[in-house]
Amino acid sequence: MSQGLSPAAAVPQSQEKTVAEPRVPNRLYALKEGDTFIIADAYGNILGEGDGLFHNDTRILSDFRLTLAGERPSLLSAAISRDNIFFTAHVTNRPLPPLGGRSLPEGVIHIERSRFLWDARLYERICCVNYSDREAALPLGFRFGADFFDMFEVRGQMRQRRGRMLPVQVENAGVTFRYEGLDGLERATCIAFSHPPSRLTADRADFLILLPPNGCIDFYLEIGSMPGTASPSRVRYRAAAAKARRAMRLRLRRGGRLRSNSRLFNAWLDKSRADLALLTSELPTGPYPYAGIPWFSTPFGRDAIITALQTLWFDPALARGVLKFLAQHQAQETSSFRDSAPGKIMHETRKGEMPRLQEVPFERYYGGVDTTPLFIMLAGAYAERTNDLAFIEDLWPALVAALSWIESVMQSTPTGFLVYARGETSGLANQGWKDSEDSIFHADGSNPKGPIALVEVQGYVFAALTAMAKLAERRGDAVAAGRWQMRSEMLRRAVEDHFWMPEAGFYGIALDGDGSLCRVRASNAGHLLYVGLPVPDRAAKVTAQILSGAFDSGWGVRTLAPGQARYNPMSYHNGSVWPHDTALCAAGLARYGERDGVIRLLDELFEAAVHYDMRLPELFCGFPRAKGEPPIDYPVACLPQAWAAGAIFMLLQAGLGLRIDGERGEIHIHRPALPSAIDRLVLSDIGVGDAKVNLVFQRVGSRVVAFSDDRISVPIIVHS
């Protein structure tokens, strides 16, 4: 056949136009594998506007655009595969200028662009098909470039100086970009094609593809930080794709399985599981969910712990991996630059040039006040869920060190609460989960004087002390157990005394350095319900407000109630809706017996997920729900985001009233309820000790019944 790549043909000068069209549509698509991820538009193009191919927090490809006759082709569709392995774009030609004959009409050339990541490498296949009745000469081009920006530069941080770009190496069928960083490391980007282009320069490759009527051709390219062991080919593409699929299948098969009678609800379940699998990296310490793409594709402490709590009931292995990694990276020294002190648990870690040079403190940063008590909370929850006391014993020195840091800070403050104040201005000003600079304030909108005690953090400490007391008792240390239990009760009373606002029937968001309460109604109080700190009558008042229009936007729980100073539904933390925050609040409502409200919030997030193609973003705007209109996007939200993907599982557990007692080998179900969209939910292969349990939740009239569909020795206790 005559179709093929014509290396001898020249591309006409008129086709060497610079592509400067605006990005349309503006949706971006992400793939991730290990410490490598790519963000591109629906065409598969990278324009250097926050997108790119990243490896180890460095953008190794900042420009990558496919052109046809020097122009962007017409988009047909774009999608990520259901398992999050492949991105595929379908495009077609605009009218093509003649090359010695008649011009080719629009819409007769189909180009399929398929790509995936494996072993820190991008693999891409370009499939071209000619549906016209005559031979087509396709002037296909690629424009490319690499700026080697650190992630913090991509996010907008300016540097006084950078390293130097080394000469670009142009070879027969590939190009190599190199950058020598100020940290002494040389970083590279190698682009290789399966066929030599007709023309190859330092920033573009041009091909002339000859296709007979109904002819087709595939060719391949690879991009990575190291050269390939062989030229790109169909064989290499298929072999790497098989490995990528196999690794993803293994992650997806871990833990229990969930299935409902609703195809749409199943799609949300499946996409959420696939997003968690996509974001989870297999580290030497075990599986670890990276926080989110693009800005937080790295190990975070808080995000991973909450994701592990969301999924603990059906996948304890994730919690184990998180605990082991965080214990291994526990702070051993005091540093104001890193906000570290012996016993603290890591907030964030980075591998790029700027952290290595200490231009930013995030190479290993500990400026999260809540991560350390959350670490202990997760350990206690893991022990209760699995009865894996051998692992807890290995973890015990890290748990004791973590609690020692918490208690030392509490003893050094007049109020006796766990507080934060950043060590240096390069660190985070606010160090709870709402860590933007404007998220903590007084009722009049003024900034509080530090150090600051966040209300939800005191709840986490209360839960951490309670967890340590239970673990100490199981280890046979009654003295330590009694001491920690007494301190947890003292803290409970102190929180009730200092944070409760009788006039508002709610808890204030924080205490400032003078002990003055920031009398602001924020969703943080819902986290107190999650840990079970409030007395019942106050919990009922908080519950009523969270379910009222003040907090419930119709799409989930707002981070801040309207009418509060700094309220803005378009802000990052002051009025937006975060799915994980909604899930934690819902789990808190369930702890105090509320079921209808939990199901309402679950339904709202499900309906939001439908609008987002079953993938909930990190956050969206908190405007009230309008009939017939979708949620309003927050423009730079991470997508996917681990704790947003995990929200459905915490919400389901809260609605089902499900608790697994690993010590006694029992399953407890309290007044189960199902989302409105489904009448039947099957949980399969839920591990309880050495047993695998299948549970069925079935709507019967106005109530939901739970039963096992097999013969097992695990007691299932249903509480009315």
Side-chain angles (χ1 to χ4, degrees):
M1 299 177 70
S2 63
Q3 75 264 32
L5 299 169
S6 179
V11 178
Q13 289 292 107
S14 62
Q15 295 170 13
E16 296 181 4
K17 292 188 275 186
T18 298
V19 179
E21 299 175 64
R23 169 173 275 149
V24 180
N26 60 9
R27 179 177 175 183
L28 299 179
Y29 295 78
L31 297 174
K32 173 189 170 293
E33 193 275 322
D35 287 311
T36 305
F37 70 91
I38 184 171
I39 299 284
D41 67 14
Y43 297 88
N45 290 340
I46 293 168
L47 307 186
E49 300 170 357
D51 50 356
L53 176 63
F54 294 80
H55 179 65
N56 285 340
D57 291 316
T58 299
R59 184 162 64 183
I60 65 171
L61 192 68
S62 54
D63 190 0
F64 190 49
R65 317 182 196 194
L66 179 148
T67 62
L68 195 55
E71 295 184 344
R72 187 178 61 196
S74 296
L75 179 68
L76 297 174
S77 70
I80 298 285
S81 62
R82 183 176 174 181
D83 60 5
N84 282 334
I85 294 293
F86 291 95
F87 165 81
T88 304
H90 295 271
V91 299
T92 188
N93 67 296
R94 304 173 192 271
L96 290 178
L99 295 176
R102 290 180 298 164
S103 64
L104 206 62
E106 184 174 8
V108 296
I109 302 298
H110 173 232
I111 299 176
E112 179 183 279
R113 194 175 185 185
S114 298
R115 66 166 58 130
F116 66 93
L117 295 171
W118 178 249
D119 197 19
R121 198 166 190 80
L122 173 70
Y123 291 81
E124 184 159 330
R125 181 186 68 198
I126 310 292
C127 178
C128 304
V129 181
N130 176 15
Y131 288 101
S132 74
D133 58 0
R134 61 182 184 273
E135 184 178 68
L138 307 183
L140 192 69
F142 291 91
R143 175 178 165 180
F144 38 74
D147 59 13
F148 297 98
F149 273 21
D150 185 278
M151 175 56 77
F152 290 94
E153 289 181 276
V154 177
R155 289 168 61 176
Q157 191 158 335
M158 303 298 295
R159 300 180 67 185
Q160 292 184 346
R161 62 191 188 100
R162 301 188 79 245
R164 65 188 184 101
M165 297 294 297
L166 301 177
V168 180
Q169 298 175 348
V170 181
E171 299 169 342
N172 182 41
V175 171
T176 299
F177 297 91
R178 294 182 300 140
Y179 168 76
E180 185 180 85
L182 298 176
D183 57 356
L185 292 183
E186 184 177 303
R187 296 166 173 86
T189 305
C190 304
I191 304 174
F193 298 96
S194 58
H195 296 75
S198 57
R199 183 173 59 208
L200 183 63
T201 67
D203 64 356
R204 66 178 296 140
D206 292 303
F207 298 85
L208 190 64
I209 300 175
L210 303 178
L211 285 173
N214 297 309
C216 68
I217 186 171
D218 291 349
F219 71 99
Y220 300 84
L221 62 90
E222 296 179 17
I223 305 174
S225 58
M226 299 288 290
T229 56
S231 297
S233 66
R234 180 174 182 268
V235 171
R236 283 176 57 84
Y237 181 92
R238 288 169 64 91
K243 292 176 183 177
R245 285 194 191 99
R246 187 161 50 247
M248 180 61 79
R249 280 199 302 267
L250 289 174
R251 291 199 291 272
L252 285 169
R253 288 173 180 170
R254 195 182 58 233
R257 292 176 289 116
L258 295 78
R259 217 78 197 142
S260 80
N261 66 308
S262 165
R263 185 171 62 179
L264 203 57
F265 197 84
N266 288 340
W268 188 25
L269 288 168
D270 291 343
K271 192 61 178 176
S272 299
R273 285 294 292 266
D275 280 353
L276 288 174
L278 173 74
L279 291 166
T280 297
S281 292
E282 300 298 327
L283 305 181
T285 48
Y288 198 97
Y290 285 13
I293 299 174
W295 312 120
F296 309 121
S297 186
T298 188
F300 271 73
R302 176 193 304 122
D303 298 59
I305 292 170
I306 290 177
T307 303
L309 286 167
Q310 291 171 330
T311 58
L312 177 61
W313 64 276
F314 72 90
D315 183 16
L318 193 64
R320 196 179 200 276
V322 169
L323 288 166
K324 191 171 182 179
F325 177 88
L326 293 176
Q328 192 175 95
H329 293 83
Q330 190 171 31
Q332 305 296 323
E333 61 184 11
T334 300
S335 166
S336 60
F337 179 67
R338 298 186 186 277
D339 271 317
S340 67
K344 283 189 81 173
I345 297 299
M346 182 203 77
H347 168 70
E348 176 180 0
T349 181
R350 295 283 184 174
K351 297 180 180 179
E353 180 185 4
M354 291 176 67
R356 284 174 56 84
L357 292 169
Q358 297 193 5
E359 293 178 27
V360 292
F362 302 109
E363 183 177 27
R364 192 175 294 175
Y365 182 61
Y366 294 85
V369 70
D370 52 356
T371 310
T372 306
L374 281 168
F375 170 73
I376 300 173
M377 275 178 60
L378 179 60
Y382 175 81
E384 180 182 346
R385 167 67 179 85
T386 65
N387 201 35
D388 186 0
L389 296 185
F391 177 69
I392 295 298
E393 195 63 29
D394 292 341
L395 207 64
W396 191 250
L399 295 172
V400 172
L403 190 56
S404 295
W405 173 78
I406 291 170
E407 291 185 314
S408 68
V409 174
M410 294 172 72
Q411 290 165 7
S412 67
T413 60
T415 58
F417 292 119
L418 181 59
V419 299
Y420 68 87
R422 64 179 171 186
E424 297 184 16
T425 56
S426 57
L428 295 173
N430 285 314
Q431 298 189 353
W433 87 261
K434 297 177 181 177
D435 56 7
S436 49
E437 291 199 4
D438 64 347
S439 62
I440 308 300
F441 51 92
H442 279 292
D444 62 359
S446 62
N447 289 321
K449 173 185 175 183
I452 294 169
L454 293 170
V455 65
E456 80 277 12
V457 172
Q458 313 319 311
Y460 301 157
V461 175
F462 162 77
L465 287 164
T466 302
M468 286 295 281
K470 291 179 180 177
L471 292 174
E473 185 176 6
R474 297 193 68 185
R475 296 178 78 250
D477 190 344
V479 173
R483 182 174 69 252
W484 285 325
Q485 188 61 48
M486 180 183 67
R487 289 179 180 172
S488 73
E489 290 303 318
M490 290 173 60
L491 180 58
R492 180 203 294 269
R493 291 194 295 270
V495 170
E496 296 282 29
D497 290 344
H498 288 81
F499 287 87
W500 182 250
M501 302 184 294
E503 75 287 356
F506 212 74
Y507 293 92
I509 194 173
L511 290 179
D512 70 9
D514 293 326
S516 297
L517 182 60
C518 297
R519 310 183 82 83
V520 172
R521 291 188 303 146
S523 63
N524 306 53
H527 297 215
L528 280 189
L529 302 183
Y530 174 66
V531 299
L533 185 147
V535 294
D537 64 323
R538 291 182 176 179
K541 292 177 181 179
V542 173
T543 294
Q545 292 197 48
I546 287 176
L547 292 175
S548 74
F551 281 99
D552 185 0
S553 71
W555 296 114
V557 176
R558 292 189 187 93
T559 49
L560 190 67
Q564 307 299 287
R566 300 189 185 179
Y567 171 74
N568 178 354
M570 299 177 290
S571 71
Y572 196 54
H573 287 129
N574 293 330
S576 53
V577 173
W578 290 63
H580 89 277
D581 186 39
T582 297
L584 283 165
C585 289
L589 304 183
R591 182 161 190 157
Y592 285 87
E594 174 64 43
R595 282 290 180 277
D596 292 343
V598 170
I599 296 304
R600 190 175 91 198
L601 294 174
L602 201 167
D603 288 346
E604 290 174 1
L605 280 189
F606 171 51
E607 290 157 8
V610 171
H611 286 287
Y612 286 111
D613 294 331
M614 299 307 175
R615 172 182 269 179
L616 286 173
E618 176 189 19
L619 73 156
F620 44 87
C621 292
F623 292 105
R625 182 170 181 168
K627 187 176 182 180
E629 295 183 10
I632 297 174
D633 293 351
Y634 184 84
V636 293
C638 283
L639 189 70
Q641 181 88 352
W643 61 13
I648 180 178
F649 304 110
M650 180 171 274
L651 284 159
L652 268 178
Q653 183 186 17
L656 298 175
L658 178 66
R659 183 178 68 86
I660 299 173
D661 186 335
E663 180 182 2
R664 294 178 175 82
E666 298 172 347
I667 297 176
H668 292 260
I669 300 169
H670 297 256
R671 296 175 49 236
L674 286 170
S676 302
I678 64 177
D679 295 318
R680 181 181 175 89
L681 180 69
V682 179
L683 312 180
S684 304
D685 297 329
I686 304 298
V688 182
D690 295 328
K692 296 288 186 181
V693 180
N694 297 331
L695 285 173
V696 179
F697 293 84
Q698 179 73 51
R699 194 185 308 278
V700 178
S702 61
R703 64 193 187 96
V704 173
V705 298
F707 58 91
S708 174
D709 65 353
D710 54 3
R711 296 179 181 178
I712 56 171
S713 58
V714 175
I716 300 174
I717 303 166
V718 180
H719 305 265
S720 59

